[in-house]
Amino acid sequence: MKNNYYITTPIYYPSAKPHMGHAYSSIVADFFARFKKINGFKVYFLTGTDEHGQKIEKASIDAKMDTLEFCNKISKTFKDLSLKLNLSNNDFIRTTEERHKLSVEKLWKILEKKNEIYLSKYSGWYSVSDEAFYSDDEIIEKDNEKVSKISGSKVEWVEEESFFFKLSKWQNTLLDYYEKNPEFIRPESRRNEVVSFVKGGLKDLSISRKSLKWGIKVPSNNDHVIYVWLDALTNYLSALDFKSEDNDIYKNFWPANLHLIGKDIIRFHAVYWPAFLLAANISLPKTIYGHGWILSNDEKMSKSKGNILDPLEIIDKYGLDPLRFYLLKEVSFGNDGNISKEKLENCINSDLANNYGNLCQRVISFTEKNFDLNIPDEINLMDQDKLILGKFNKNFDILVNSIDKQDINFYVKFLMDTLFSSNKYFNDEAPWNKKDDKTRLNTIVYVSLELIRRISIIIYPIMPKSSLNALKIFNIKENEIDFKSIKDDNFLKNIKKINKIGILFNKITND
Ligand code: MSP
């Protein structure tokens, strides 16, 4: 299955409308999905909503709505956002769907049959907001309330009959797996965090709630509802039709190549999820990447601070592609990053309008004035031309490998360096002074156009729509974009004429 690639976003809680943090996870996942697609992979890209559990039940009660109707309403806002973000997802899963319920039941039954589950009593701390159990040493007192040291969310004491998963028995197997598969948890800092958590000792995990009704019932005991995280994590299998015995899509795409998640939910994905899978004898996903947080004006977004950034508002004001570009370029991938309107405007003006947009416009209008938009055909590559094209080719191979390590920062740097050197090339070679040397004039314009073509392809996973707009210069359509021809110095020789295009990015002026 070498050429298949399965990538997932976290499934979002439809407890309130989506914010910038959710948009970030989805945009990053879309970047990888599109990159892999133009690199010749068959991609399955999944996103969706996580609709069971106490958190959602409570939100629906607060909204005075029937819980399913509430989920229908908010889940739709997430689905609409995925369209607005121009995600290339193949599927949008909702955990209230029948296909999901059947998969969760199937996984439960496998675990039960393998004797990985037992009935006992849970007494301990629970955070509804995180849908997580915490041990005593993970709790602190803040403003006269018990809260989780890890997330800061309020916890409550729970005592009830519960089914348990034998998590403790998987401790050494997990540690061994992390050791042998360094790419399993990324980045390194998250990996270290998980390893030390597991080394600290794993207790068996409560995986059912008796006091809750909103969820999937335990098949063998209808008084219990399955723990929402066991339910939610299974979405990655349900979407591949795990419930059926003969399922080609599952055979082709499982194990997932990349579960992209935020750092706050690494424990669920890198400890519980692989333990469930090991226990059920199902192969493990290749990589779990925990990205950082998006801060709003350097602070964590929260309702009380009133600084929650609405992606829709930003998109309506500045457009989608500038937002995608900003999040991928300005947030160092793996770390927390900040977004503010001021920084976004700077980025639009300097990187997009002045740098990329301007390069395209200058070269097109020069080609129009001097060649009537024809691509010059008699060319003779000199050292400086070979150097810039050769440098691109050499670094491009490194670029492709870097994405297998989720190194978006390298990708963006490669793009910005290429843009910088292409602008510099056009300025330094100054074709406007070469009108007496026809071959030289031809060559400079040819190479500049060729660089624009390459840059616009590299830009596709970041800003698909702008990339396609720019590629109209060469009549290249979406299904024709691929990395195979990117290094072909002769590509433009098969295209006789370029097209004029409109301004790619408007500058933001605040007067
Ligand atoms: N429903 C669970 C995930 C289940 S996956 C099997 C959940 N949902 S969530 O809606 O609370 O969060 C979804 C994702 O958004 C998480 O990866 C979380 O890290 C991310 N973000 C939420 N706020 C964020 C920021 N401010 N910045 C970046 N991402 C953050 O957890």
Side-chain angles (χ1 to χ4, degrees):
M1 303 310 159
K2 204 169 140 269
N3 261 7
N4 289 343
Y5 186 82
Y6 181 29
I7 176 163
T8 64
T9 72
I11 47 169
Y12 305 107
Y13 287 129
S15 50
K17 65 176 187 164
H19 60 62
M20 196 56 84
H22 303 128
Y24 180 65
S25 287
S26 290
I27 288 171
V28 172
D30 191 54
F31 166 86
F32 286 115
R34 288 182 187 269
F35 173 89
K36 282 290 173 183
K37 226 172 259 176
I38 59 175
N39 200 16
F41 283 73
K42 228 171 137 190
V43 174
Y44 203 85
F45 171 19
L46 175 70
T47 186
T49 42
D50 179 1
E51 308 188 5
H52 289 135
Q54 230 175 317
K55 182 183 171 103
I56 301 298
E57 186 182 58
K58 187 173 170 301
S60 73
I61 294 169
D62 292 347
K64 297 190 174 56
M65 280 180 80
D66 166 76
T67 311
L68 185 58
E69 270 172 37
F70 178 78
C71 289
N72 290 343
K73 183 176 156 207
I74 314 273
S75 175
K76 186 173 177 303
T77 66
F78 279 90
K79 200 166 189 175
D80 290 347
L81 179 70
S82 64
L83 295 174
K84 194 91 182 185
L85 297 177
N86 194 13
L87 301 188
S88 56
N89 58 306
N90 305 68
D91 197 351
F92 184 100
I93 193 156
R94 298 184 54 193
T95 54
T96 44
E97 288 173 64
E98 187 68 9
R99 60 170 170 161
H100 176 68
K101 179 176 162 251
L102 295 173
S103 287
V104 174
E105 287 172 351
K106 178 170 169 181
L107 181 60
W108 182 282
K109 285 180 191 158
I110 296 175
L111 293 173
E112 207 170 45
K113 200 162 161 215
K114 290 186 178 284
N115 199 21
E116 297 285 342
I117 291 175
Y118 63 92
L119 190 63
S120 182
K121 190 178 161 198
Y122 178 77
S123 39
W125 300 105
Y126 191 75
S127 155
V128 176
S129 166
D130 306 341
E131 298 282 18
F133 300 97
Y134 290 112
S135 58
D136 284 334
D137 56 353
E138 289 172 322
I139 302 300
I140 47 165
E141 184 120 0
K142 201 178 156 200
D143 304 329
N144 283 332
E145 271 186 339
K146 303 269 189 208
V147 299
S148 151
K149 210 157 61 177
I150 298 155
S151 65
S153 332
K154 213 175 102 189
V155 293
E156 58 193 45
W157 186 256
V158 173
E159 261 187 48
E160 63 180 7
E161 184 185 79
S162 172
F163 283 97
F164 280 79
F165 167 70
K166 295 181 183 169
L167 181 63
S168 56
K169 82 176 231 206
W170 294 100
Q171 177 171 338
N172 290 336
T173 316
L174 283 172
L175 287 171
D176 197 43
Y177 192 83
Y178 302 148
E179 170 97 32
K180 293 206 175 99
N181 299 276
E183 76 294 346
F184 183 60
I185 306 169
R186 284 193 174 131
E188 179 94 18
S189 54
R190 306 273 124 75
R191 183 166 175 269
N192 296 339
E193 186 188 309
V194 169
V195 169
S196 79
F197 172 72
V198 176
K199 275 191 178 154
L202 293 178
K203 291 200 202 81
D204 288 351
L205 180 71
S206 162
I207 49 164
S208 77
R209 300 295 305 271
K210 211 174 174 181
S211 52
L212 179 72
K213 294 285 162 268
W214 182 242
I216 300 171
K217 289 191 171 132
V218 168
S220 54
N221 184 335
N222 283 348
D223 291 340
H224 286 252
V225 157
I226 297 176
Y227 174 40
V228 64
W229 269 100
L230 172 52
D231 169 338
L233 288 160
T234 309
N235 91 87
Y236 302 132
L237 297 174
S238 327
L240 301 185
D241 202 19
F242 173 68
K243 67 176 191 312
S244 315
E245 287 310 320
D246 221 4
N247 38 14
D248 281 346
I249 179 167
Y250 178 78
K251 281 182 203 137
N252 285 335
F253 288 101
W254 192 261
N257 297 77
L258 180 60
H259 288 320
L260 185 79
I261 56 164
K263 62 180 183 181
D264 53 319
I265 53 175
I266 195 90
R267 191 185 287 187
F268 304 98
H269 282 81
V271 183
Y272 302 164
W273 183 225
F276 297 147
L277 294 171
L278 285 166
N281 198 19
I282 296 172
S283 356
L284 304 195
K286 300 275 178 241
T287 299
I288 291 153
Y289 194 104
H291 65 65
W293 280 71
I294 302 296
L295 309 172
S296 156
N297 290 319
D298 286 319
E299 286 193 281
K300 200 171 160 177
M301 284 186 265
S302 79
K303 269 192 214 148
S304 54
K305 285 193 197 117
N307 62 351
I308 295 191
L309 283 169
D310 181 348
L312 297 179
E313 242 173 60
I314 303 264
I315 294 167
D316 286 343
K317 182 151 184 220
Y318 299 102
L320 169 65
D321 278 359
L323 173 66
R324 291 180 59 122
F325 180 80
Y326 180 92
L327 290 173
L328 290 161
K329 171 174 180 264
E330 295 295 321
V331 178
S332 157
F333 192 53
N335 300 316
D336 292 351
N338 194 40
I339 177 162
S340 69
K341 290 192 179 165
E342 199 193 352
K343 283 179 111 187
L344 176 60
E345 288 179 4
N346 275 339
C347 181
I348 294 173
N349 287 348
S350 62
D351 294 332
L352 298 181
N354 286 349
N355 198 345
Y356 177 47
N358 199 30
L359 174 71
C360 294
Q361 288 310 328
R362 281 173 82 198
V363 176
I364 293 172
S365 54
F366 192 84
T367 314
E368 182 179 24
K369 272 200 209 106
N370 296 279
F371 295 91
D372 196 20
L373 295 173
N374 289 303
I375 296 180
D377 50 1
E378 276 176 28
I379 62 164
N380 180 22
L381 295 179
M382 292 177 54
D383 284 352
Q384 62 271 46
D385 314 316
K386 287 183 194 155
L387 189 74
I388 191 163
L389 293 172
K391 194 171 157 217
F392 179 98
N393 293 351
K394 194 170 136 244
N395 288 337
F396 181 76
D397 293 335
I398 306 173
L399 178 85
V400 170
N401 292 330
S402 75
I403 289 303
D404 285 331
K405 300 191 185 86
Q406 292 79 43
D407 194 351
I408 297 184
N409 301 333
F410 184 86
Y411 192 92
V412 171
K413 186 171 177 311
F414 175 83
L415 169 66
M416 296 317 290
D417 287 351
T418 312
L419 264 172
F420 176 82
S421 49
S422 303
N423 264 309
K424 185 169 181 320
Y425 171 87
F426 195 65
N427 284 339
D428 291 355
E429 294 304 315
W432 44 91
N433 292 334
K434 305 282 162 37
K435 298 209 171 140
D436 297 338
D437 183 350
K438 188 81 175 101
T439 309
R440 192 63 208 135
L441 177 68
N442 285 355
T443 309
I444 299 167
V445 170
Y446 182 94
V447 171
S448 302
L449 286 167
E450 180 52 30
L451 289 166
I452 290 177
R453 179 182 76 90
R454 294 178 185 195
I455 290 168
S456 302
I457 294 176
I458 300 283
I459 276 180
Y460 175 77
I462 304 177
M463 298 187 290
K465 205 157 158 254
S466 306
S467 152
L468 291 173
N469 276 344
L471 289 170
K472 280 185 194 144
I473 303 171
F474 312 104
N475 254 328
I476 298 174
K477 313 251 172 358
E478 188 161 21
N479 59 2
E480 294 162 351
I481 301 179
D482 75 76
F483 278 160
K484 270 193 233 108
S485 55
I486 200 167
K487 294 192 282 184
D488 180 359
D489 293 349
N490 293 317
F491 188 91
L492 291 185
K493 293 191 178 151
N494 301 319
I495 299 174
K496 296 280 166 264
K497 231 176 148 108
I498 60 163
N499 299 309
K500 269 169 78 172
I501 56 162
I503 300 279
L504 281 173
F505 303 97
N506 285 313
K507 270 190 154 181
I508 313 280
T509 47
N510 277 322
D511 30 69

